[in-house]
Amino acid sequence: MCGIIGYIGNKEVVPILINGLKRLEYRGYDSAGICVLCKNKLQTLKKKGQIIELENELIGKEIVGTIGIAHTRWATHGEPNEINSHPHLDCKNKIAIIHNGIIENHFSLKKILEADGHKIISNTDSEIVAHLIEKFYNENLEEAVIKAIKYIEGTFGLAVICETEEKIIAVRRGSPLIIGIGDNEMFVSSDASAILEYTKKVIYINDNEIVTLTKNNYNVKNLDGNLVNSEVQEIKWNLNEIEKAGFKHFMLKEIYEQAKSIENTLRGRIRENKIKLSVDIDPKLINKIIITACGTSWHSALIGKYLIEKISGIETCVDYASEFRYRNPIIKNNDLLIAISQSGETADTLAAIRIAKNCKTLGIVNVVGSTIAREVDFGIYLHAGPEIGVASTKAFTCQVSALILFALHLRQELGLELDFGLINELILISGKINSILDKADKIQEISSHLKDAQNFLYLGRGINFPVALEGALKLKEISYIHAEGYPAAEMKHGPIALIDENMFVVFIVNRGEIFEKVVSNMQEVKARGGSIITITDCPDDEMIKKLSNFIISVPNTCEELSPLINVIPLQLMSYFVADAKGLNVDKPRNLAKSVTVE
Ligand code: F6R
C-alpha cells in the first residue's frame, strides 16, 4: 500500500531512490515520483505507471543531488495520474512530501487551506499535508511538521524535505516507517527491502514519533519534542532473499521456497519430544480463542480453528479483522486473541488487536519488527523470509505450520499426550511438498487448458474447505478469472445452479471418512456437464478416474497436514494460468501487498 523511500548522504540520490522504489513496487504500482534537492531547488518528476516508466523519463534529465524522497503509489483518493502521484509540493515548491496512509479529514482541511489562499491541485488526500506544513513553516521544518500533523486525522507514514534545510523529516501514525543507518548516510523507508543493500542497521519508528535525518545523524522525538531512546536493530534478511534468483516471478520463487520456509518455521521448535514456543500462556485459563486476520491469513485462521479445536479442545472462533473491529465483539479477560498477518502491518488486523485491550494477544507474523509484532503480548514469527509476490503463498503454508505448532503446544501445556505420528509427519512434510513441486510441468500442462475459462468453483470439506477458498482467491487475484470456494456439501444449496459445460470445478478429495461424500458431489457436477479438476491422494481410484477431466495427484499425509500439501498444486495452477494469459503475476491489477489502509 504505497512505498516510500528517502535518502540523505554523500552519494548521488536518484539511483538509490529508483532502486528503492523497485524494491517497494510490490506495495503499489500505479504511479511513481521522485523529488531531489538539486542546487538548492526541489526538482520533481512523476509518472503514471510502473517504476520503469519513471526511470525512462529520468533519462537525459539533469536531476542530481544527495538528498531526495520518492514514492510508489497505490491509489486511494484520486485516479492514478501524474498530478495525483507523489511527491506533493506546497504552493511555492519549497516543501515536498510523500505519504502512505489516508488523511481522513482532508476535505475539511482543504477548505480551510483554500480559504487561506493555498492552491491545491490534485484530487488526493495527501497533498494537503504539504500545504499544512507550508502554513506552519517558519525556518524550522521539524517544528512545522509537528504542528501540521496535530491537525491530521487518519493514518500516515510521511517523509518531508524542504528547499532551505539539508534534512529529511519523517513521522508516522498507523503506517509503517523504518530508518536505515549507514556510514555518513541515512535512509527512511516503508520497509526494509528498499534499504537492505545499503545497511542492515535499522530503527522501527513507533506511532507519533518524528525523526530528523541529516547525513551524519538522526534523532527520534515524540510529538512533544522530547528525545526518544530508540533501539537500533539488525535486519536478518539477505539481499538474495529479496531477489528473484532466476525465477520468472517472485510468486513462483516463493512457491518453490515453501519446503525450506516451513523448515524455518519449525526450526528449533520441536526438540526432545516437546514443542518449544515462547508463548507463556496457561491454556487451562483460556476461556476461548479468537483468531482474526484478512485475506489469505484469514484462510489460515480458519484452518487454525480446526486444528486448535481438534488438537487442544479449546473453543476457537475466527473473524475477519475488518468485521471484528466494528461489531463490538464480546471479549472476555481470559480470552486469547490471535492476529495472523504476513506483513504485520494490515490496518484492520492491527485495529483488531488494539480493541482487544482486556485480553492477552498473540501475533503470528512474518515481518520482524512490524507493528503487529511489536504490539502483541506474545508472538510466533514465521521466519519465512521476505514475501514479495503480491499473492501470498509461502506465508500461508508457514502460518498453517505455526498454527499446528501452537495447537500442539496448547495440548502439551494442558498435560495431554502429544500425537508423535503427527509431529513426525510434520517434520517430513517438506519432502512431500518438494515431490509436488517436482511435478510442476504436469500442472503447467493442465493449466494451459484452463486459461480461457471464465468461471471456477473450488470445493473441499473440513480442514480443506479453507484450502478451497485459498485456491479460488489465488486464481482470481492473479488471473482475473472469477472463482469461488465452497464446502463441497454446500454446493447443492445454491452454487449447483451455476454448473454447466462452461464451469470448471476443482475438487480437493483426500482419502478418509468423507471421501465417498465428496465423490458423490463430483458425480453431481459431472451429471450437469461441468469439467472436473481433482487434487487427490487417491489418483488410482476408479471413480476419481472416471469423473475427473484432469487429476493432480498429491502424496498422502494426515488430515491435519493435508492443507500444506493440497494448496501447493492450487498455487501452481493459479500461477501457470495467469502466466499463460500473459499477466503480470507479481503485480496484479488493483492489488498491493500490505494493506495499510482501511
Ligand atoms: C492474498 C493476499 C492478501 C493478504 C491480506 C492480509 O494473496 O496476499 O489477501 O493475505 O491482505 O495480509 P497480511 O497477512 O499481511 O495481514
Side-chain angles (χ1 to χ4, degrees):
M1 206 81 348
C2 298
I4 67 179
I5 165 113
Y7 173 84
I8 180 165
N10 294 321
K11 294 185 190 135
E12 193 46 59
V13 70
V14 172
I16 295 174
L17 295 180
I18 292 294
N19 200 17
L21 285 182
K22 286 183 181 164
R23 302 257 186 233
L24 292 171
E25 203 170 10
Y26 69 97
R27 301 179 68 93
Y29 33 81
D30 57 41
S31 51
I34 189 166
C35 180
V36 172
L37 183 55
C38 175
K39 300 180 195 140
N40 300 322
K41 288 264 170 269
L42 294 182
Q43 293 270 10
T44 308
L45 192 72
K46 313 193 212 184
K47 193 77 190 150
K48 183 177 171 188
Q50 301 193 0
I51 311 300
I52 186 78
E53 318 273 349
L54 177 68
E55 197 177 15
N56 289 338
E57 194 69 14
L58 277 161
I59 296 170
K61 302 254 168 17
E62 259 291 292
I63 302 187
V64 288
T66 57
I67 304 174
I69 54 177
H71 185 275
T72 179
R73 181 167 186 246
W74 184 86
T76 56
H77 295 67
E79 62 174 291
N81 61 26
E82 272 159 40
I83 292 181
N84 288 339
S85 39
H86 301 220
H88 289 289
L89 289 117
D90 68 333
C91 298
K92 298 186 209 85
N93 286 354
K94 284 181 182 302
I95 295 168
I97 68 110
I98 46 176
H99 169 229
N100 174 23
I102 292 183
I103 312 295
E104 283 166 4
N105 58 340
H106 70 279
F107 273 126
S108 51
L109 290 173
K110 186 174 177 199
K111 275 196 198 143
I112 297 168
L113 287 162
E114 284 180 336
D116 250 10
H118 291 263
K119 298 262 171 299
I120 293 170
I121 55 172
S122 73
N123 293 322
T124 65
D125 54 330
S126 307
E127 188 192 343
I128 61 107
V129 181
H131 294 273
L132 259 187
I133 297 171
E134 177 182 25
K135 180 176 165 70
F136 293 113
Y137 187 70
N138 189 8
E139 308 307 319
N140 185 328
L141 188 60
E142 184 189 279
E143 264 178 35
V145 173
I146 292 181
K147 282 185 185 154
I149 60 167
K150 289 198 172 133
Y151 289 84
I152 293 176
E153 287 163 22
T155 54
F156 51 82
L158 277 172
V160 188
I161 56 173
C162 130
E163 204 177 79
T164 44
E165 298 184 39
E166 296 211 338
K167 53 181 69 151
I168 300 177
I169 308 292
V171 60
R172 78 161 262 182
R173 185 182 297 153
S175 298
L177 207 58
I178 69 168
I179 301 304
I181 304 162
D183 290 335
N184 299 320
E185 57 185 6
M186 301 285 164
F187 304 80
V188 56
S189 175
S190 334
D191 70 47
S193 59
I195 58 176
L196 189 59
E197 60 199 276
Y198 309 105
T199 179
K200 288 194 165 189
K201 283 201 282 178
V202 297
I203 294 175
Y204 297 99
I205 301 304
N206 292 311
D207 277 354
N208 298 312
E209 286 180 352
I210 182 160
V211 190
T212 299
L213 299 178
T214 56
K215 68 178 177 188
N216 298 315
N217 206 358
Y218 65 89
N219 66 52
V220 186
K221 293 182 183 166
N222 61 26
L223 297 184
D224 296 325
N226 300 320
L227 282 174
V228 174
N229 223 348
S230 300
E231 193 191 343
V232 178
Q233 300 193 34
E234 176 107 5
I235 308 172
K236 296 279 186 295
W237 294 344
N238 289 316
L239 195 56
N240 60 6
E241 290 183 84
I242 55 166
E243 293 185 329
K244 284 193 212 146
F247 284 91
K248 185 169 178 192
H249 293 101
F250 280 111
M251 183 183 176
L252 191 61
K253 174 183 174 236
E254 287 158 9
I255 290 174
Y256 272 84
E257 277 172 353
Q258 289 179 102
K260 192 94 221 124
S261 52
I262 291 175
E263 281 170 13
N264 288 338
T265 303
L266 302 181
R267 191 175 315 285
R269 288 168 166 167
I270 305 172
R271 275 184 282 138
E272 295 144 7
N273 292 336
K274 281 206 168 316
I275 306 298
K276 310 269 186 185
L277 290 177
S278 323
V279 182
D280 191 13
I281 303 168
D282 182 351
K284 294 184 213 73
L285 304 179
I286 298 177
N287 168 56
K288 176 182 77 207
I289 293 176
I290 305 162
I291 318 183
T292 184
C294 302
T296 287
S297 299
W298 182 76
H299 298 155
S300 316
L302 293 175
I303 295 171
K305 168 185 164 69
Y306 191 96
L307 290 166
I308 293 171
E309 290 191 339
K310 182 168 183 199
I311 295 173
S312 75
I314 299 175
E315 184 191 345
T316 303
C317 56
V318 177
D319 234 322
Y320 278 120
S322 53
E323 292 297 313
F324 181 79
R325 62 183 291 193
Y326 286 118
R327 68 167 177 77
N328 297 322
I330 298 164
I331 310 170
K332 302 219 170 99
N333 292 350
N334 50 356
D335 288 342
L336 170 69
L337 183 108
I338 303 181
I340 306 181
S341 174
Q342 187 286 128
S343 61
E345 301 292 352
T346 299
D348 286 320
T349 314
L350 183 57
I353 58 168
R354 285 181 177 163
I355 63 163
K357 288 197 178 70
N358 59 324
C359 76
K360 292 280 185 236
T361 54
L362 166 74
I364 298 184
V365 171
N366 191 32
V367 178
V368 175
S370 55
T371 312
I372 294 175
R374 286 182 288 144
E375 293 202 11
V376 286
D377 298 306
F378 309 101
I380 304 176
Y381 276 126
L382 301 181
H383 302 304
E387 192 181 65
I388 311 279
V390 166
S392 187
T393 52
K394 64 177 178 174
F396 175 78
T397 42
C398 289
Q399 287 164 348
V400 172
S401 306
L403 284 159
I404 296 167
L405 284 177
F406 183 62
L408 289 165
H409 169 83
L410 290 172
R411 184 174 175 88
Q412 168 182 285
E413 300 306 302
L414 284 168
L416 301 169
E417 208 178 308
L418 289 179
D419 177 351
F420 286 101
L422 169 63
I423 293 174
N424 289 334
E425 187 62 16
L426 181 58
I427 294 167
L428 295 176
I429 206 75
S430 289
K432 294 193 176 181
I433 288 175
N434 277 334
S435 75
I436 306 172
L437 293 169
D438 288 343
K439 288 189 297 199
D441 284 359
K442 175 161 186 223
I443 299 172
Q444 183 168 18
E445 201 280 313
I446 294 174
S447 306
S448 68
H449 300 277
L450 309 177
K451 71 178 178 42
D452 298 319
Q454 299 293 312
N455 288 295
F456 273 79
L457 275 180
Y458 283 69
L459 303 176
R461 288 194 73 162
I463 197 168
N464 282 299
F465 157 53
V467 178
L469 293 176
E470 176 61 7
L473 177 65
K474 284 291 89 90
L475 187 76
K476 63 187 144 192
E477 67 183 331
I478 59 168
S479 73
Y480 318 145
I481 297 175
H482 176 243
E484 299 297 334
Y486 273 95
E490 272 296 300
M491 189 183 60
K492 57 187 170 297
H493 297 288
I496 197 165
L498 292 169
I499 292 172
D500 61 17
E501 56 288 347
N502 298 318
M503 177 65 87
F504 283 89
V505 185
V506 179
F507 274 94
I508 304 167
V509 203
N510 291 138
R511 77 186 62 153
E513 34 173 1
I514 46 178
F515 178 84
E516 302 296 342
K517 296 190 190 305
V518 182
V519 171
S520 299
N521 297 139
M522 290 172 73
Q523 267 163 333
E524 288 155 13
V525 169
K526 200 74 199 169
R528 287 160 182 83
S531 299
I532 295 180
I533 302 142
T534 309
I535 314 291
T536 184
D537 55 0
C538 305
D540 298 324
D541 180 271
E542 283 312 316
M543 283 310 281
I544 296 267
K545 284 207 278 200
K546 186 166 155 220
L547 295 170
S548 308
N549 298 68
F550 303 102
I551 298 178
I552 301 175
S553 76
V554 291
N556 177 252
T557 186
C558 52
E559 189 198 22
E560 292 85 338
L561 306 187
S562 58
L564 295 174
I565 294 289
N566 291 328
V567 78
I568 307 291
L570 299 183
Q571 295 169 341
L572 283 169
M573 210 172 87
S574 310
Y575 171 80
F576 288 128
V577 169
D579 192 41
K581 291 180 81 164
L583 298 170
N584 190 342
V585 173
D586 283 333
K587 294 180 199 129
R589 71 181 178 208
N590 305 339
L591 289 174
K593 192 100 183 146
S594 187
V595 185
T596 52
V597 295
E598 265 193 64

